[in-house]
Amino acid sequence: MSLDTLSPDEIRALHDEQQAAYEQLKQAGLALDITRGKPSSAQLDLSNALLDLPGQDYKDAAGTDTRNYGGVVGNVQLREIFAELLHVPVEQLVTGDNASLAIMHDLIVFAMLKGTVGSQQPWAQEEEVVFLCPSPGYDRHFAICEQYGITMRTIDMLDDGPDMAAVREAVTDPAVKGIWIVPTYANPTGAVVSEAVAAELAALETAAPDFRIFWDNAYAVHHLTEERTKTADIVGLCAASGHPDRPFVLASTSKITFAGAGVSFFASSPENIAWYTGLVGKRTIGPDKVNQLRHVRLLGDVDGVHALMDQHREILAPKFAVVQEVLSARLGGLDVATWTDPRGGYFVSLDVPDGCATRVVRLAKEAGIALTPAGASFPYGKDPRDRNIRIAPSFPPIEELRTAMEGLATCVLLAATEQRLG
Amino acid sequence: MSLDTLSPDEIRALHDEQQAAYEQLKQAGLALDITRGKPSSAQLDLSNALLDLPGQDYKDAAGTDTRNYGGVVGNVQLREIFAELLHVPVEQLVTGDNASLAIMHDLIVFAMLKGTVGSQQPWAQEEEVVFLCPSPGYDRHFAICEQYGITMRTIDMLDDGPDMAAVREAVTDPAVKGIWIVPTYANPTGAVVSEAVAAELAALETAAPDFRIFWDNAYAVHHLTEERTKTADIVGLCAASGHPDRPFVLASTSKITFAGAGVSFFASSPENIAWYTGLVGKRTIGPDKVNQLRHVRLLGDVDGVHALMDQHREILAPKFAVVQEVLSARLGGLDVATWTDPRGGYFVSLDVPDGCATRVVRLAKEAGIALTPAGASFPYGKDPRDRNIRIAPSFPPIEELRTAMEGLATCVLLAATEQRLG
C-alpha cells in the first residue's frame, strides 16, 4: 500500500484519520524532546564512580602531582588506553579537556591564523577556504565553519562514506582545504566509512597541499550490536599514501562517561602533534589532569571501556528498537519515508517526502514534541530537499520515546497526505 | 657601603670572596627551582577535599544534572561567589574550565577572526595590531601576542600601574587595540593599580574604537598581609566613562584551589558577555560543570574563599619573608640591586645592575638554581636594560628557598663585581 497507489479519496481518508490523531496528540499536552544526542540519566549513572574519584591519591603512574600545572599532552595511561582503541601510536595522541569539539574549533582557528603544517600561508589570508560537508552531517561542525566564514560545499553522505565521485572532483579546487567526516556510526545516518573509501580519501591527490580530513570518531566504540565495528585506520592509511599530515582524528568520552565532564583526544602525525601542542601550549599550561586521572581509575584499560560500552548498549539498543518498531508499523510500506537502522552511534536519520521536513517539525512542535530543526544536518541549516529529520532516541525514557515516535509518525503522515492533496 | 664608594681593590676583594662562595655553591650539587608561580604541595593540600567531591549528589542548586551537556555560562552559585569577589554583577560573569589564560587566548582569537563589539573589522584584517605591555609583566600574555603577530609595545610598569603618560600617548595610534594589566599584585612586581590609574584607563580617549583592557585579576584575593586590597572596579569605571565594552576581566582559582584543575572566570559588559558566549558556544557545549559543582561545595561562599586564602597566606608569607631577609642581608646597602616587597601575589621582582641579568641567570643555572630566563618578563623576551629577574618563592620548601636565595645573592654580587672590574 504505497501512497502512490492510493486514490485521492483513499489519501483523503488517510489524511483525515491522521488529522484526528494529531488533534488528540495536541490535546495530550506533551513535552517531549528528541532533539539532541544526550546520554540519559541511566547512562550517566554508569560512571557515577567518577563523582568520588580520584580519591586522596592524586599522583599519576609517573608520580606527577595531577593537581598542579603542566603536561600539555595529558595523562599517559589515558593516552595508552585510547591509542589502542583508536589504533594510533600513543606518541601521536594527546588528551585534553571535556570537549573534542573544542579541539576541532582550535584546529580551525590555528589553521586560519597560523596555517597548518604544509600551508603556504594562514588560511585567513586565502581568498576563500572551502570545506566539504558530507550531509546530512553534524550541525556543530558546520557551525564552526560558518562562524569563521569557511565556505561549505555539500557532498552526499552515502552508506559507505562521502560520495567519492563528488569529493574527487571537488578537491581539484585548491580552495578546498578540508572535509568533515564522522567515520563510524555517522551523525545522523549511522553510516560507517568503508576501508575502500578511507583508503581513497588518504590517497587522494588534492590541489591544496594542506588538505585536512577532520575525522571525528565520536562514536568509535559506541556499538548498538555485539559487533565491534573497527574504524578504518586513517592515520596509517594517510601515512602509507605519503600524506601523513592529512588526518586530524578526534574522539572523546562525552558519550562514554559524562557528557559534560569527560576527556577529549586528538591524534595525528608526529609533525601535526608538535604543531598543535606548540600552539595550544600558549593557550593553556595544561589540561585538567585530575579529571584525566579520574578517568584512568574509572576505565582501567581497553576492556574496561568496552565493558562500560556494553552497559550503554543495554540501555540504548531497546530505545533504537522502539524507533524502528514505530516507524515500521506506522510508515512501513507506504513509501512516505525512509530511515536508517544504525548499528551504533546516537541517531536515526529519517527522510520524509521532499519539501515536508519543515512542516513535520512544525507540526510536531505544536504537539509538544521537540525535534532538531529541519535542515540542521546540512550546511547553513538548509536541506536542499527539505526532507531530512534527525531523531535522537537516547535521552528520553523509553515510554516517552515511544509516545514521541508515535506522534512523529502521525505528523509525517499528516504532512505527506497534505502535500498529496495539494 | 655602596659598590660606588668602594675602591677597585675593595671591589676585587668582594669579587674574590663571592667567587669562592660561588665555587662552593657549584660543589653543593643543588637542583633548585624558583622559576614558576606554582603552588606548593602544602598549598594544594588545602583543597584536597576536591579529590572526593562532588560526591554522589551531582545536581546543582537549580537541579541541573551537572554530568550532562549544556550551560555555556557555567554554575550560577560559583558565579555568585566570584561576582561578589570581583565586584561585578553576576549576569556579567561567566565561569569556564581550568585556565583563565585559555579565555584570554580565545578573546584574542575571536577579536582577530571576528572583531570585538565595536570593531570595524576583524583585527586580522588590520594592517597592524598593537598591544601595550606594561613591563616587567607576565610572559604568557606576551606569548599569545607573539603567536598571533600582535606587535608589543613596552610601557613601564610603575608602582601604581602602567606609566600613564606613555599610555596616553600610545593610544592616539589607532593600531593600539589593547593593554595587558595584572591590576592587583602584578606579575612580577606586586604593584597594585591605583583607583586613579584605573579611572584614567577607563576614561581614556583612544584612537581605536575597540580598545580593550585585558584586566587579568589573577591575584585578586591572594594577599600576603592581613590587608585585603580591593581591586579597582574597572567594569564600573569603564561603564561610567561611557566605555562599557572596554574591559575584559579575567580570574581563576588556579592559585586558590588546584593549579591544574581549577575554574576560570570572565567578566565584562553585557554586550561583551553576549559576544563571547555566542562565539565560545560554537567551541564547546559547555564547561565542566561537575568541576564547578566541586568548587561550589568546597568553597561555599565568599567567606570560604577568604578563609582558604588565609591558609595560603600562612604558608606563603614566611617564604616571601625569607626572600626579603636574604636579599636585605646579602645585597642591602650595596646599591647593586633593588627588589619589590609585595603585599600579595606570587612574585618578587629583582633588578640587578643594567646588563647583568643574563649573567646572573646563567651563573645560577650552572650552580643548579633554575631562574626564569632573563628578559622573560618583557615583550619578545628582551629586557632592554637586561636587569630584571623574577623570583617565584611559592613552590620550594622554605629551606630550599633559602638556599636558592643565598645562591642567587652570591650570583648577583659576583656578576656585579665582575662588571665593575670590567
Side-chain angles (χ1 to χ4, degrees), chain A residues 232-255:
Chain A
D233 171 18
I234 195 71
V235 170
L237 289 168
C238 285
S241 295
H243 304 125
D245 302 326
R246 180 170 292 179
F248 284 162
V249 175
L250 290 311
S252 81
T253 69
S254 295
K255 290 172 181 110

Side-chain angles (χ1 to χ4, degrees), chain A residues 37-42 44-46 48-58 65-70 97-103 105-106 108-110 112-114 124 138 140 143-144 146-149 252 254-255 257-262 278-291 294 395, chain B residues 37-42 44-46 48-58 65-70 97-103 105-106 108-110 112-114 124 138 140 143-144 146-149 252 254-255 257-262 278-291 294 395:
Chain A
K38 284 171 73 166
S40 64
S41 191
L44 297 167
D45 286 348
L46 300 174
N48 272 352
L50 285 177
L51 296 167
D52 305 299
L53 284 171
Q56 292 300 306
D57 175 10
Y58 49 76
D65 185 341
T66 59
R67 304 169 304 175
N68 222 325
Y69 286 119
D97 287 327
N98 76 334
S100 58
L101 186 72
I103 301 179
H105 170 275
D106 292 352
I108 295 272
V109 156
F110 294 155
M112 292 296 282
L113 288 173
K114 301 291 291 179
Y138 180 33
R140 293 189 193 273
I144 294 174
E146 198 164 354
Q147 177 147 301
Y148 295 116
S252 81
S254 295
K255 290 172 181 110
T257 61
F258 288 165
L279 292 167
V280 89
K282 299 294 185 284
R283 183 180 184 274
T284 170
I285 307 174
D288 183 337
K289 295 186 300 300
V290 177
N291 202 36
R294 257 177 220 118
F395 189 72
Chain B
K38 283 171 73 167
S40 64
S41 191
L44 296 168
D45 286 348
L46 300 174
N48 272 353
L50 284 177
L51 295 167
D52 306 299
L53 283 171
Q56 293 298 309
D57 175 10
Y58 50 75
D65 184 340
T66 59
R67 304 169 305 175
N68 222 325
Y69 287 119
D97 286 328
N98 76 333
S100 58
L101 187 70
I103 301 179
H105 171 276
D106 292 351
I108 295 271
V109 155
F110 294 155
M112 292 296 282
L113 289 173
K114 302 290 292 179
Y138 180 33
R140 293 190 193 272
I144 294 174
E146 199 164 354
Q147 177 148 300
Y148 296 116
S252 80
S254 295
K255 290 172 180 109
T257 61
F258 288 165
L279 292 167
V280 90
K282 300 293 186 284
R283 184 181 184 273
T284 171
I285 307 174
D288 182 338
K289 296 186 301 298
V290 177
N291 202 36
R294 259 178 217 114
F395 189 71

Side-chain angles (χ1 to χ4, degrees), chain A residues 141-363:
Chain A
H141 290 163
F142 304 157
I144 294 174
C145 282
E146 198 164 354
Q147 177 147 301
Y148 295 116
I150 295 173
T151 304
M152 291 181 274
R153 203 166 290 165
T154 303
I155 297 276
D156 284 336
M157 184 67 181
L158 308 180
D159 286 346
D160 60 351
D163 175 357
M164 286 307 293
V167 171
R168 226 174 286 134
E169 201 198 313
V171 297
T172 60
D173 176 356
V176 173
K177 294 286 195 187
I179 186 169
W180 291 109
I181 296 187
V182 179
T184 296
Y185 311 135
N187 176 353
T189 69
V192 175
V193 173
S194 69
E195 283 287 332
V197 166
E200 187 176 357
L201 281 165
L204 218 52
E205 290 307 319
T206 63
D210 52 354
F211 179 77
R212 291 290 177 269
I213 300 169
F214 280 72
W215 189 261
D216 181 4
N217 207 352
Y219 310 105
V221 292
H222 304 58
H223 316 290
L224 286 168
T225 75
E226 286 186 12
E227 188 194 339
R228 290 185 184 154
T229 304
K230 184 180 170 305
T231 305
D233 171 18
I234 195 71
V235 170
L237 289 168
C238 285
S241 295
H243 304 125
D245 302 326
R246 180 170 292 179
F248 284 162
V249 175
L250 290 311
S252 81
T253 69
S254 295
K255 290 172 181 110
I256 297 176
T257 61
F258 288 165
V263 291
S264 56
F265 301 94
F266 171 55
S268 195
S269 67
E271 285 71 18
N272 282 348
I273 293 293
W275 169 81
Y276 172 75
T277 54
L279 292 167
V280 89
K282 299 294 185 284
R283 183 180 184 274
T284 170
I285 307 174
D288 183 337
K289 295 186 300 300
V290 177
N291 202 36
Q292 296 183 345
L293 183 62
R294 257 177 220 118
H295 278 75
V296 169
R297 300 230 166 116
L298 177 82
L299 300 171
D301 55 20
V302 164
D303 290 339
V305 176
H306 285 307
L308 181 52
M309 294 317 294
D310 285 346
Q311 293 181 281
H312 280 286
R313 175 164 58 87
E314 282 171 31
I315 296 169
L316 282 173
K319 292 186 179 182
F320 278 79
V322 162
V323 173
Q324 298 300 321
E325 183 193 322
V326 175
L327 291 176
S328 296
R330 296 285 307 279
L331 307 180
L334 279 172
D335 289 338
V336 290
T338 58
W339 56 91
T340 58
D341 185 7
R343 300 176 63 78
Y346 263 66
F347 302 100
V348 172
S349 180
L350 172 69
D351 281 336
V352 298
D354 285 15
C356 279
T358 303
R359 175 68 177 152
V360 169
V361 172
R362 186 173 319 126
L363 284 168

Side-chain angles (χ1 to χ4, degrees), chain A residues 377-401:
Chain A
S377 297
F378 289 78
Y380 309 105
K382 294 217 170 70
D383 175 358
R385 297 173 65 176
D386 188 25
R387 66 169 180 171
N388 186 255
I389 293 171
R390 186 178 81 168
I391 298 168
S394 58
F395 189 72
I398 201 158
E399 283 315 312
E400 281 189 20
L401 173 65

Side-chain angles (χ1 to χ4, degrees), chain B residues 296-325:
Chain B
V296 169
R297 300 230 166 116
L298 177 82
L299 300 171
D301 55 21
V302 164
D303 290 340
V305 176
H306 285 308
L308 180 54
M309 294 316 294
D310 286 346
Q311 294 180 280
H312 280 285
R313 175 163 60 85
E314 283 172 32
I315 297 170
L316 283 173
K319 294 187 177 181
F320 277 79
V322 162
V323 173
Q324 297 299 320
E325 184 193 322

